[in-house]
Amino acid sequence: MTRRIPSSAAMPAIMLGLFGLYTLEFGIVGILPDIVERFGVTVAQAGMLMGIFALIIAILGPFLVLISSRHDRKKVLVAALLGFSVCSALSAYAPNFSSLMALRIVPALLHPVFFSAAFAAAASLYPRERAAHAMAQAFVGTSFGLVLGVPATTWVAAHVSYEASFLFCSAATVIAGIGLMLMLPGQGRPVALSFGRQLAVLRKPALWLNIVATVLVFTAMFSVYSYAAEYLRSATGMDATTTSLVLLVFGIGGVSGNLLAGRLLGRNMVATTLLHPVALALAYGVLQVCGSANLASMTIIAVLWGATHTSGMLISQVWLTSEASEAPEFATSLFVSAGNGGVVLGSALGGSFINAYGVQGIVWCGLIFCLLSLAAIAAKVLLYPAPSGGAAAVN
């Protein structure tokens, strides 16, 4: 008699896939100095490896999600992971900077498709009343990719090789793909909302204010984070090994920040959202004034920075999607696009500030956008003081 595999057995593969996805997108931050040296490009040029990736997602994300929502979810997930794996493996041996940039295009196109389908598949593994639990589990993979992908690639590049840092991501995504192929129950073609019903949420002015706030928050975060490894080496004098350790502490702080943010959002979403840009600006101020090569002091700074940075992603997602709960998958794609729009602006403006003021300039860029994002959130609260609920979905 064949033993039936429980549907929830696919959850680790979904989590690993999300980890691999965000390691692919943001892991480039951890090896930015290696790329500058290997290909003879400027820091700002290397930073566009993430900027172009995010720009493609920002422009095409919602459209790609609308199209892919009509296809078998399991096939979409496995195909996307295969695409991630192949492109990561080829990136390890890219002969020049242009080819490395080109190899970012396909994963960028697949990113919003996989992200949306992964969360929908996670929800399908449990009864409807446990959907929130499923979403929270899937978000663990996203969180670990966001906060640990960078230090992991930095460590692998420093202790193994530059090529191995890409192959690490390739291995994670191919293992996740095999896991989904074997463990994920057949999904079939989902009965999706009509394009018209999903697009109708764009008529809400409050949603557009939330989108603007999300873009500004991500700009504040990634104008600094896109150049984190370069900042730690140039501004504080850390070597590669110490930099990877500090980024690992940053990741640990990020996990803690997400846990705290989840609780605070459940209690008061508006106050938590308003508080975030203030806390992030405080972290930047401490980094600017107290940053040094001293590992003990930088550990404290990295925890604060990591907690405020990473929690901004969860807070922004809840804030944006709270105004479009009637079309959750499309709302998620809007969050992904808005967030990546902020990544584009952040990496581009951070690079411009580096060119104009040196690597210390990225902190000032981050502070400016903390202020702008706070203004946008406050405007939404004043103009539309009763946002729809949404915190419960992530608690």
Side-chain angles (χ1 to χ4, degrees):
M1 182 175 180
T2 303
R3 184 181 178 184
R4 184 179 178 185
I5 300 173
S7 60
S8 59
M11 185 60 77
I14 292 175
M15 293 165 63
L16 181 60
L18 287 164
F19 168 82
L21 167 61
Y22 279 91
T23 300
L24 188 157
E25 181 175 4
F26 296 116
I28 209 81
V29 171
I31 57 172
L32 211 64
D34 302 272
I35 292 171
V36 170
E37 182 179 351
R38 188 182 186 92
F39 297 112
V41 296
T42 67
V43 174
Q45 287 173 319
M48 289 311 295
L49 286 168
M50 192 166 66
I52 295 299
F53 192 103
L55 180 62
I56 293 171
I57 298 170
I59 295 173
L60 299 177
F63 173 76
L64 293 170
V65 169
L66 286 174
I67 298 300
S68 66
S69 65
R70 303 287 175 166
H71 298 281
D72 185 295
R73 194 179 292 135
K74 181 174 180 177
K75 292 179 180 178
V76 167
L77 289 168
V78 173
L81 287 168
L82 178 61
F84 296 150
S85 183
V86 170
C87 289
S88 293
L90 292 175
S91 295
Y93 304 101
N96 51 56
F97 185 75
S98 296
S99 59
L100 182 61
M101 181 74 79
L103 284 166
R104 303 280 286 172
I105 296 174
V106 171
L109 293 171
L110 294 174
H111 177 295
V113 171
F114 179 83
F115 185 90
S116 178
F119 275 86
S124 76
L125 300 179
Y126 293 87
R128 185 179 298 274
E129 61 272 16
R130 299 196 68 200
H133 170 73
M135 299 288 279
Q137 279 197 306
F139 199 85
V140 170
T142 301
S143 298
F144 275 97
L146 288 166
V147 302
L148 298 179
V150 172
T153 54
T154 304
W155 189 92
V156 171
H159 291 83
V160 185
S161 69
Y162 166 86
E163 291 83 4
S165 65
F166 287 99
L167 296 177
F168 165 72
C169 180
S170 179
T173 49
V174 77
I175 291 171
I178 294 170
L180 288 179
M181 192 183 301
L182 296 176
M183 299 293 186
L184 184 65
Q187 299 283 292
R189 291 191 176 186
V191 180
L193 292 173
S194 68
F195 290 170
R197 287 183 63 186
Q198 294 185 74
L199 291 170
V201 301
L202 296 175
R203 298 172 184 167
K204 301 168 71 172
L207 176 63
W208 282 103
L209 279 174
N210 283 8
I211 290 172
V212 169
T214 298
V215 171
L216 293 173
V217 166
F218 271 72
T219 303
M221 288 155 48
F222 282 90
S223 58
V224 180
Y225 184 68
S226 297
Y227 303 95
E230 183 66 26
Y231 183 91
L232 292 173
R233 293 195 196 182
S234 299
T236 68
M238 290 182 175
D239 59 23
T241 300
T242 308
T243 296
S244 65
L245 181 59
V246 170
L247 289 174
L248 177 61
V249 174
F250 177 100
I252 295 171
V255 173
S256 302
N258 260 348
L259 293 174
L260 177 60
R263 294 191 184 97
L264 293 176
L265 284 166
R267 295 174 183 173
N268 193 319
M269 180 176 65
V270 173
T272 302
T273 306
L274 282 166
L275 179 63
H276 175 259
V278 177
L280 184 62
L282 175 63
Y284 287 165
V286 173
L287 177 65
Q288 179 84 314
V289 174
C290 303
S292 69
N294 183 279
L295 183 58
S297 63
M298 282 305 299
T299 296
I300 299 172
I301 294 171
V303 169
L304 176 61
W305 182 14
T308 52
H309 174 93
T310 307
S311 63
M313 300 175 188
L314 176 59
I315 292 168
S316 296
Q317 182 177 6
V318 173
W319 184 244
L320 192 156
T321 57
S322 68
E323 283 296 338
S325 57
E326 63 271 36
E329 288 189 47
F330 184 59
T332 299
S333 74
L334 292 174
F335 162 74
V336 173
S337 287
N340 279 276
V343 173
V344 173
L345 285 175
S347 62
L349 292 172
S352 297
F353 270 68
I354 288 175
N355 290 335
Y357 308 108
V359 73
Q360 295 277 3
I362 58 174
V363 177
W364 292 108
C365 184
L367 288 170
I368 290 169
F369 278 91
C370 283
L371 180 61
L372 292 175
S373 60
L374 178 62
I377 295 165
K380 159 67 190 308
V381 173
L382 291 173
L383 293 172
Y384 302 93
S388 303
V394 296
N395 291 339

